[in-house]
Amino acid sequence: MDKKIVQKSTLDIKIKIIILVVVFALIVAGLIAVKGFASKTNRDIVVRQENMIMSRGEAKKGQLAVRCIAKNVEANKLFGRSVQYSITIYNNTERSIRDWNISTIITNGGQVDNVINADYHVTTSKVIITPTDNNKIIRDNDTLTFGITLSNKKNQQDPSFGITVIDGKQSVNPSEMMAYWLLIFALFAWSIIAASYFASLLSRRKLIKQKELDDKVLFQTIYTFTSFIDAKDPYTRGHSVRVAFYARELAKEMGLPENDVKNIYYSGLMHDAGKISVPDAVLNKPGKLNDGEFQLIKSHTTNGARMLRNYTAIEGLKEVALYHHEKYNGKGYPTGTAGKEIPLYARVVCVADSYDAMSSNRVYRNKLTKEQIIAELERCSGTQFDPEIVPYMVDMIKTGKADKLRDEADNVVL
């Protein structure tokens, strides 16, 4: 896979993961903010009881209740009664109660003598009990107990408590806020999206690995075949691989899509497939070829196209095998096709093929210098070669990229 494409794909993945992390952080921060806001937001909780005769078991879950138990009863010297009570507040809710108070009516002419573990003040008709500094908060599912002594005069009935109202403040539960559920929904949606993305990423990586394996198998298969072709001529050993490397780089420099780059690469490997049918004596002849021998050489284009006609897994193989010796001015072979009528893949491979021929030693001549090759490419631009492709090849030669590609290709061949 192209390095630039891999880098871009990796960058896209990193950006998406960063976005997922940032969104998750924002959702969590939102939940923390909602919880903090809820803890600072108070609501009044008020419970009315007809009396204080209620056990904790009788108090409903989520309810605030108070129970009074008489601990000691005494008759006083004025024929009245004095009663010591233990009063317990049950916080059966799931959140703490603070700033509480109990407002209750005292029956049978009673009055408050003493309160232990709480403060109080008396109005005309009732007593209001309030917390001290150390018991202002009643934790959730907890209790608070304090003592109170009531007495009356000239009354043989025990002074007690009538209608009682418990009042307090409680922080709001985050689950009672719309923002909380919106954030929970967002977190749920994020979880689905994140899980789907990472699942698709894992699947994509498996596909990429499988594709890399398939490409490797495909290359090895095609390379094995091209090595048979190149082995027929010791002077052209590695020629097909070098042409494929040059053609692939030309396609990249031209900005062609990845699929075209891949197809051109494989087409370059197979462009001389038809040479398998040319006799070795003709391929390796050191002198000038006669007309019949030249016709045999030229037949490798049509023979290659015929051999590859049913191979459709890679686009362009047959066309490159047939047209890579066509000239831009229409004076090539085997069909005399000219200009843009020559398939693009074949025009690219034609330039790469000619460069490798000029930069390699052949049985009939030594390789040309860089200057000679550049001059020949530019001289034949518009006649033999597509004038839009030649500049890319010339630039590759001048920058040394062509030499580097040759070394890489030769390492593959070795």
Side-chain angles (χ1 to χ4, degrees), residues 93-386:
T93 69
E94 295 181 352
R95 302 190 73 78
S96 298
I97 302 294
R98 59 179 177 271
D99 298 332
W100 57 270
N101 68 75
I102 298 175
S103 174
T104 183
I105 296 174
I106 300 175
T107 62
N108 300 324
Q111 64 181 15
V112 178
D113 287 345
N114 186 33
V115 175
I116 300 173
N117 201 30
D119 291 329
Y120 76 98
H121 64 274
V122 179
T123 66
T124 305
S125 60
K126 63 182 68 175
V127 59
I128 299 174
I129 303 168
T130 57
T132 60
D133 290 338
N134 64 345
N135 58 13
K136 288 184 177 180
I137 297 176
I138 309 173
R139 303 295 179 185
D140 54 293
N141 294 304
D142 201 356
T143 62
L144 173 67
T145 300
F146 57 91
I148 185 170
T149 302
L150 300 181
S151 64
N152 58 16
K153 297 177 181 180
K154 299 181 181 180
N155 192 329
Q156 294 303 306
Q157 292 182 320
D158 293 343
S160 186
F161 303 98
I163 297 173
T164 302
V165 177
I166 313 168
D167 189 1
K169 294 186 181 298
Q170 190 177 49
S171 59
V172 174
N173 194 316
S175 63
E176 300 175 45
M177 304 178 71
M178 179 64 72
Y180 173 82
W181 290 109
L182 289 174
L183 288 167
I184 291 295
F185 176 78
L187 184 60
F188 177 73
W190 179 91
S191 301
I192 294 175
I193 293 171
S196 300
Y197 176 71
F198 285 111
S200 66
L201 192 61
L202 181 61
S203 176
R204 180 185 176 188
R205 287 186 175 179
K206 289 182 179 179
L207 288 174
I208 289 174
K209 287 184 178 180
Q210 184 60 48
K211 182 179 180 300
E212 290 174 349
L213 179 61
D214 292 344
D215 287 346
K216 184 177 181 180
V217 171
L218 182 60
F219 170 78
Q220 290 175 345
T221 303
I222 293 177
Y223 173 67
T224 300
F225 180 74
T226 58
S227 65
F228 293 151
I229 301 169
D230 290 348
K232 291 172 66 66
D233 183 358
Y235 281 92
T236 62
R237 187 171 187 271
H239 167 71
S240 297
V241 177
R242 291 194 297 272
V243 169
F245 272 52
Y246 300 142
R248 178 174 60 185
E249 191 62 30
L250 280 172
K252 291 179 183 178
E253 294 293 331
M254 293 166 64
L256 297 181
E258 180 188 5
N259 191 56
D260 288 336
V261 173
K262 181 186 70 173
N263 290 337
I264 287 173
Y265 173 66
Y266 288 123
S267 297
L269 287 172
M270 295 293 287
H271 76 286
D272 274 342
K275 282 187 177 180
I276 200 79
S277 64
V278 179
D280 294 352
V282 176
L283 285 175
N284 298 323
K285 185 176 179 180
K288 185 177 180 180
L289 300 174
N290 60 41
D291 289 343
E293 292 168 337
F294 188 55
Q295 289 302 318
L296 283 173
I297 290 290
K298 290 198 297 184
S299 70
H300 83 277
T301 56
T302 52
N303 288 338
R306 185 169 56 254
M307 291 167 56
L308 299 170
R309 67 184 182 278
N310 294 323
Y311 195 98
T312 58
I314 300 174
E315 183 181 350
L317 289 189
K318 180 184 72 173
E319 288 76 11
V320 170
L322 181 64
Y323 292 108
H324 71 279
H325 278 292
E326 299 289 358
K327 294 184 178 180
Y328 201 73
N329 60 7
K331 296 183 179 180
Y333 65 86
T335 65
T337 305
K340 302 296 183 183
E341 294 299 315
I342 304 170
L344 174 62
Y345 293 1
R347 281 180 274 141
V348 173
V349 171
C350 175
V351 174
D353 185 30
S354 297
Y355 169 73
D356 188 65
M358 290 186 283
S359 62
S360 303
N361 291 319
R362 292 297 173 91
V363 66
Y364 51 85
R365 61 148 176 82
N366 292 326
K367 65 181 180 179
L368 305 182
T369 65
K370 286 185 179 181
E371 292 73 18
Q372 290 173 321
I373 295 172
I374 292 173
E376 187 67 13
L377 287 171
E378 291 177 342
R379 184 181 70 82
C380 296
S381 178
T383 54
Q384 182 177 351
F385 309 121
D386 185 336

Side-chain angles (χ1 to χ4, degrees), residues 250 351 378 381 386-397:
L250 280 172
V351 174
E378 291 177 342
S381 178
D386 185 336
E388 295 180 2
I389 299 175
V390 169
Y392 294 104
M393 190 71 245
V394 170
D395 184 65
M396 284 167 55
I397 297 170

Side-chain angles (χ1 to χ4, degrees), residues 46-59:
V46 180
V47 177
R48 177 187 173 93
Q49 293 181 197
E50 292 300 320
N51 52 54
M52 293 191 189
I53 306 173
M54 178 183 288
S55 67
R56 183 170 189 174
E58 293 172 329

